[in-house]
Amino acid sequence: LKPVDLTPYQAEEFFGMRYAREALDLDPAFQPAQVVMMNLMLERHYRPQLDQILVKPVPPKMLQLLTSLDTDLMIRVLERALEERQLPVALPIIQALGERGEFRAARPSAAGQQRGIVKALYYPDRRVQFAAFKAMLRMPKTTTPAVAADRVVDLARRFLASDLTASKALLVYPPLGQEPDIRKIIKDLGYDAITARKTHEAVELGKKTADFDLLVLHRGAPEVDFPFVLAQLRQHYDLAGIPMVIVVSKERERIVQKQVGKDPGVLIITEDRFVPGDELKNLIESHVKRMHIARLTPEERKMFAQFSMDTLWRMGRGDIEGYSVVPAIDVIVAQLESKDYVLEAIEI
């Protein structure tokens, strides 16, 4: 026998499929095995085309399969996918639950906790948020919690306020006098830098738009406040899913590593390595890919904005009941200067 090298994903797929099949042979209704099979099937099918899931219609056979599954099974698959950050699994499940108008997926758990599609509205990933936003609009209005209705409008506002043309990085606490040089480095990485000099400014910018593909926390952050700053940026649902790079001095690298712990969304780079060049580009690209699998495409950004404008327009006309566009009025007014959405903004 010859040893075979497998990646962790390949090993999980091989052994997961094997034991799930054996379990289902013994008991076809054994739900834990059904969950494993669904996760592995969807992961294998959708991972190579993650940036196309929301843009293209669900293939008829896949849609037929997903819309015929037991609701409790689908919710369990979704919960596991969100917990383990399996975006290729979560997105088609949310779409299918929306197609069915499955109100049970929008209800809280028996303990009163958010789950299913409502939980996905607050999930720290823009694709998941958008899929849940669309799915919630298909739910009977009598089953839509007020918190979900408010979040739907908030997401429409954020997606509409986003820049469709460029990838952006949120630069937090640049050291005094070094901001121009740091912005050039970030530009070299392929991002336009937007600066926040305080933690609350960074949080407000993250809540304002869905623009950011990268968050750079530089060493200008006060050392004594660093744990608080890190917690604020990693715990807010509109910022937590953004790949973060923390730039530190060599002396503080080990301390910061302990404070960050095992957060896979954070990459720590010493200041001497945060310089223009292929090494830094490769590090950042690998980190972003590990978090997002695929960056948002211009086509996705445009679709998010167009659907958000159309939704706010329909809400303003009363075609979609149970929602108030008042929290988004500032972004709607801003569209009066847009050649794409000025007519819809006027009608609202």
Side-chain angles (χ1 to χ4, degrees):
L1 294 177
K2 293 183 179 180
V4 178
D5 291 328
L6 296 176
T7 66
Y9 170 70
Q10 289 171 327
E12 180 185 29
E13 181 180 17
F14 176 78
F15 290 109
M17 281 289 192
R18 176 181 174 182
Y19 292 120
R21 285 190 180 120
E22 291 180 0
L24 291 174
D25 285 342
L26 295 171
D27 180 4
F30 186 51
Q31 198 172 82
Q34 293 175 338
V35 171
V36 171
M37 287 287 286
M38 284 298 302
N39 269 270
L40 292 173
M41 180 195 73
L42 292 171
E43 177 81 16
R44 175 193 287 178
H45 181 78
Y46 280 110
R47 174 172 280 270
Q49 49 181 317
L50 183 71
D51 56 4
Q52 298 297 306
I53 295 177
L54 299 176
V55 176
K56 294 182 178 178
V58 180
K61 289 185 178 180
M62 180 64 76
L63 183 62
Q64 182 180 5
L65 169 65
L66 294 177
T67 53
S68 64
L69 291 174
D70 175 72
T71 300
D72 289 336
L73 171 62
M74 293 183 70
I75 293 174
R76 287 194 63 178
V77 172
L78 177 58
E79 290 292 315
R80 173 176 168 169
L82 295 178
E83 182 179 342
E84 298 182 1
R85 198 171 177 80
Q86 294 175 307
L87 304 185
V89 179
L91 292 174
I93 291 290
I94 294 171
Q95 287 180 309
L97 290 169
E99 286 288 335
R100 288 162 54 161
E102 185 50 75
F103 64 90
R104 284 174 289 179
R107 284 179 174 174
S109 67
Q113 297 177 328
Q114 292 179 357
R115 66 171 190 160
I117 295 176
V118 177
K119 184 177 180 179
L121 288 171
Y122 293 90
Y123 191 74
D125 179 86
R126 288 167 293 180
R127 289 187 177 103
V128 172
Q129 291 175 357
F130 182 75
F133 160 30
K134 287 188 70 175
M136 282 303 304
L137 295 175
R138 292 177 173 267
M139 298 297 153
K141 66 177 182 179
T142 54
T143 64
T144 303
V147 64
D150 292 343
R151 178 61 173 165
V152 165
V153 175
D154 182 49
L155 287 172
R157 181 191 60 77
R158 293 181 69 242
F159 288 132
L160 184 57
S162 299
D163 188 341
L164 305 181
T165 60
S167 293
K168 288 187 169 58
L170 180 57
L171 170 61
V172 188
Y173 285 109
L176 189 65
Q178 295 184 29
E179 183 179 340
D181 293 334
I182 296 170
R183 292 173 70 92
K184 288 179 181 177
I185 294 173
I186 293 174
K187 185 68 174 178
D188 185 60
L189 294 171
Y191 303 89
D192 290 341
I194 305 297
T195 302
R197 293 176 177 81
K198 300 291 182 182
T199 307
H200 71 88
E201 290 179 17
V203 172
E204 287 304 312
L205 284 168
K207 290 164 59 177
K208 186 178 179 181
T209 77
D211 272 345
F212 301 110
D213 296 300
L214 183 69
L215 195 159
V216 179
L217 176 59
H218 217 285
R219 66 174 183 81
E223 293 182 11
V224 68
D225 294 335
F226 183 83
F228 168 78
V229 174
L230 180 65
Q232 290 289 299
L233 297 179
R234 296 308 293 165
Q235 292 176 10
H236 193 280
Y237 44 80
D238 284 330
L239 290 173
I242 303 174
M244 174 186 279
V245 174
I246 300 179
V247 184
V248 297
S249 62
K250 281 189 175 181
E251 294 75 17
R252 280 185 50 78
E253 183 179 13
R254 185 170 297 179
I255 296 172
V256 172
Q257 185 65 68
K258 288 182 179 179
Q259 293 171 329
V260 169
K262 296 182 179 180
D263 187 339
V266 177
L267 174 67
I268 299 171
I269 298 178
T270 54
E271 190 176 17
D272 61 307
R273 298 176 65 198
F274 194 73
V275 293
D278 290 339
E279 181 186 357
L280 182 62
K281 277 186 178 180
N282 292 335
L283 274 173
I284 301 299
E285 285 177 7
S286 297
H287 181 50
V288 171
K289 186 173 183 179
R290 195 161 52 244
M291 283 288 290
H292 286 165
I293 302 177
R295 283 166 65 172
L296 280 184
T297 64
E299 186 179 10
E300 287 176 296
R301 294 174 189 271
K302 185 176 181 179
M303 184 186 70
F304 290 4
Q306 180 67 64
F307 185 84
S308 297
M309 186 70 240
D310 292 345
T311 299
L312 292 171
W313 176 72
R314 291 169 61 204
M315 288 176 180
R317 285 168 50 93
D319 296 341
I320 304 177
E321 299 180 357
Y323 297 88
S324 170
V325 301
V326 173
I329 199 66
D330 58 331
V331 177
I332 295 171
V333 170
Q335 303 310 307
L336 294 173
E337 299 180 4
S338 164
K339 64 179 181 179
D340 296 320
Y341 308 127
V342 60
L343 295 178
E344 290 168 299
I346 291 172
E347 289 190 21
I348 296 175

